[in-house]
Amino acid sequence: MREMVAEILSDAGLADDGALTRTLESLQTMCPAEAPAPTGALAELLAQGTAASGGVAPSRAATRAAEAAIGKLSPQVAPVVPFTLRKRHRGAAISAAVIAGVGLSATGVAALGGVDYSANPPQAGARSAIVAPQAGADAAAQGETSEAPDPVVREAQAFAAAAGGSPVAHADRSPAPTSGGKDAPASSGVVFPSAPPAHEAPAEAAIAPAAARVEDPSAVAQDAGAALSQRPAPRHRAEPVVNRGRHIAQEAAATAQAIAATFAPAPESTAVASPPVKEAVAVASGAGQHAASAAAGALGQQHGNSSGRALAALGTRH
Amino acid sequence: MPDSLTDRDLIAGVLPETDLFARVYESLAPAVLGYFGARGVDDPEALMQDVFLSVLPRIGEITGGVAGLRTFVFSVAHARVVDYYRRVERRPRSVDYDPLLDLRAVPSAEAEALVRTGQTDAHLLIGALKPEQRDVLMLRIVGELSVEDVASVLGKTPGAVKQLQRRGLKALREIVSEGVMAQ
C-alpha cells in the first residue's frame, strides 16, 4: 500500500507532502488485518468447493453483478466486418432527411401563402363588402371626407338597390364610399353577377299577387311557375354560401305560403288536398328547399295541377 | 494479504479448488471489507460474503491474473454498493427512535484534536470527500487498482478517474492543511 500511495502522490506532484502521505496511509486502518471468518454459505463453499455448494447460491443481485462484471471485463473483440457506409453515416443521413423535410414544409407553407385568393371573385367581393362598412364608419367617425365611389362600388349599389332585402345588398348599400383611401384596392377586384339580381324581387312580386288571387289556384301556380322559370340560373359562385341558403329558405317560405293561400279557400280541393298541402307547407318552411320540392312534386303528381309542377321545377333547380 | 496470491495460483489445476478459494478470500476480503466500510454500508461483512459467494465459483472465467481478479472482485463489490444504496433510497426504513440506532454524530474532541495535530481519522477524512472522489481513492489505495482498472470498475474513462483522484487529493490536502493551520 505504501507503494501505491507513493505512486498516487507522485502522479499528483505531491510526493513531498508528508501530512498528505500520512493521511493516505491512514486509510489502511480501515481494512482489517485479517479476513473475517466466513460464515454460512461462504464457509461451506470455502470448505467443500463448488461441488458442495449446489444448494447454496448467492443472492440474485450478486449474481447479476458478477455476470455484468464478467461481461464488462471480457476482452473486447473488434468487429470483423466494419460498419457499412450507410451505418457509418446514419446520423448525417437522418439529419439531412430532417432538414429536407423542414425545408419542404416551409417552402410549401410559403407557396400556399403566396396564392392570390382575390382570383375567387365572390369571396373577395363578400369580404370587401363586409369590410367596407366598417371602414366607412371609421372614416365617418373621424370626420374624413370620402371620395366618390368607383364604378365597381356604383355597380354594387345598383345591385343592392335592385336586390332589396338581400344581405349582400345591405352590405353593398352601405356607404361604399368607404372605398376611398386605403380600402380602395380591396374592392378593386370585386365582381358581381352581371345578370340583374331582379330574380329576388320579381319572384316575390309574382307570388304575392298570386296569393291574393286565391280564387284561381291554377292561375297562381302559373304565375309562380312563370316567375320562377324566368329567373336566370343562379350563379351560386357569385353568392356567398350563407346568402344563397338564405335565399333558398326565403323562396321556400314564399312558395309554401303561396300554396297554402292557393289551396286553403278552394272548397272542392280542401277535402282531399288539405293534409298533404299542410304537410308540404310545414316541410317547406322547416326543412328547406329539397324537402319542399319533393313534397311539392308529390303534390303535383297527386293533383296534376300546374302549381305542383312549378314547385317540382323549383326543387330540381335547387 | 494480497501478496500471498500470485498469477500462478490462479492457473487452473495448480491449486485445489478449496485452497484457491481460501487464498483468494484471505487475500481480497480485507480490502473489500474496507471498501464497504468506507462507503458506509450497514452490514459490510454480509455484503462482502455475498460478493465472494458470487465471485469464487467464477474464478475459472476470469482472465488477467491477480489484477484481473482484483478488478473483477471490486467491480462486483461496487455494483453491490450501488444496489445497496438504491435499495435504501427506494425503501427508506421507518422505525421508532432508538438512541442506539441513531448514527448521527459530531466529531469528538479527540477527533478534532487529532485533525489539528495532523493525525487524522481515516473515516473522518474520507467521509469529507465527495462520493466519486472517495470511490477513486479507496479503490486506488485500499484496492490497489490501477487507474485503468478503477475506470473499468466505475465505468468511467481513465482521464475522468485521474481528474477525480486529483481533486480528491486536493480536497484532502486542504482538510489536512486546515488542521495544521488551526493548530
Side-chain angles (χ1 to χ4, degrees):
Chain A
M1 182 172 286
R2 289 179 180 275
E3 293 80 10
M4 184 60 71
V5 170
E7 179 185 343
I8 291 172
L9 290 176
S10 62
D11 287 344
L14 301 171
D16 299 334
D17 196 331
L20 192 57
T21 303
R22 286 193 300 274
T23 300
L24 294 179
E25 288 176 356
S26 70
L27 295 178
Q28 190 177 4
T29 59
M30 301 179 70
C31 302
E34 294 182 356
T39 59
L42 184 62
E44 186 179 355
L45 178 65
L46 292 177
Q48 302 180 18
T50 54
S53 63
V56 179
S59 64
R60 292 173 58 190
T63 306
R64 283 199 305 270
E67 290 175 354
I70 284 287
K72 188 169 62 176
L73 298 177
S74 61
Q76 301 291 327
V77 180
V80 178
V81 181
F83 284 145
T84 61
L85 191 63
R86 193 175 60 179
K87 282 187 177 178
R88 216 182 307 164
H89 298 289
R90 179 176 292 173
I94 293 174
S95 302
V98 170
I99 291 171
V102 171
L104 284 175
S105 302
T107 306
V109 170
L112 286 177
V115 170
D116 186 8
Y117 286 109
S118 63
N120 189 358
Q123 296 179 3
R127 282 199 298 271
S128 64
I130 293 171
V131 170
Q134 299 173 354
D138 294 340
Q142 294 175 0
E144 296 178 1
T145 58
S146 60
E147 298 177 359
D150 60 3
V152 176
V153 174
R154 284 197 296 274
E155 187 179 354
Q157 289 175 342
F159 176 82
S166 169
V168 173
H170 281 302
D172 289 337
R173 217 182 305 160
S174 59
T178 59
S179 57
K182 296 178 180 177
D183 294 328
S187 59
S188 61
V190 174
V191 177
F192 290 96
S194 58
H199 62 277
E200 298 294 337
E204 296 175 358
I207 292 173
R213 292 182 294 155
V214 294
E215 67 278 1
D216 189 1
S218 63
V220 171
Q222 286 177 357
D223 290 344
L228 295 173
S229 64
Q230 289 174 359
R231 291 173 52 190
R235 295 181 59 184
H236 295 306
R237 291 190 59 192
E239 297 178 354
V241 175
V242 175
N243 295 334
R244 195 171 71 226
R246 197 171 299 168
H247 295 167
I248 292 171
Q250 290 175 356
E251 288 176 4
T255 306
Q257 290 175 359
I259 293 170
T262 299
F263 287 95
E268 65 278 4
S269 61
T270 303
V272 179
S274 282
V277 167
K278 290 180 180 177
E279 184 179 356
V281 170
V283 170
S285 314
Q289 187 65 24
H290 288 287
S293 63
L299 185 62
Q301 290 178 358
Q302 187 175 358
H303 296 283
N305 54 17
S306 59
S307 61
R309 285 194 294 275
L311 291 173
L314 177 63
T316 54
R317 284 172 51 189
H318 291 286
Chain B
M1 287 303 291
D3 50 358
S4 63
L5 188 66
T6 61
D7 291 344
R8 185 177 177 278
D9 297 336
L10 296 176
I11 298 174
V14 173
L15 288 177
E17 189 180 55
T18 53
D19 292 348
L20 176 63
F21 285 178
R23 187 163 293 186
V24 169
Y25 176 75
E26 290 170 0
S27 301
L28 299 180
V32 174
L33 203 57
Y35 177 68
F36 284 152
R39 291 303 308 269
V41 177
D42 281 345
D43 193 355
E45 286 195 19
L47 213 55
M48 181 267 296
Q49 295 202 16
D50 199 14
V51 167
F52 279 97
L53 266 178
S54 61
V55 164
L56 292 178
R58 292 175 176 269
I59 282 183
E61 307 174 24
I62 297 169
T63 58
V66 176
L69 177 63
R70 279 181 170 278
T71 305
F72 176 65
V73 168
F74 279 100
S75 296
V76 176
H78 178 71
R80 297 292 290 127
V81 169
V82 172
D83 287 343
Y84 167 79
Y85 278 109
R86 282 180 182 165
R87 188 172 61 249
V88 168
E89 291 174 358
R90 198 163 48 233
R91 289 181 294 181
R93 292 184 303 174
S94 59
V95 295
D96 295 334
Y97 180 75
D98 185 355
L100 296 178
L101 297 178
D102 191 356
L103 301 179
R104 292 175 297 177
V106 294
S108 63
E110 295 175 351
E112 288 186 354
L114 286 173
V115 169
R116 293 191 179 192
T117 57
Q119 300 173 2
T120 54
D121 186 2
H123 281 90
L124 189 65
L125 284 173
I126 205 70
L129 298 179
K130 292 182 179 178
E132 290 184 335
Q133 298 171 354
R134 186 170 38 192
D135 281 342
V136 168
L137 287 180
M138 288 301 294
L139 289 173
R140 285 282 281 153
I141 296 172
V142 176
E144 298 185 7
L145 299 179
S146 64
V147 172
E148 289 74 17
D149 292 340
V150 173
S152 176
V153 168
L154 298 180
K156 298 181 180 297
T157 62
V161 171
K162 287 181 180 176
Q163 185 71 12
L164 287 170
Q165 174 182 302
R166 194 176 305 120
R167 290 177 180 172
L169 288 174
K170 184 179 177 183
L172 275 179
R173 189 184 183 196
E174 288 178 357
I175 294 172
V176 172
S177 61
E178 285 176 1
V180 173
M181 290 298 292
Q183 182 185 8

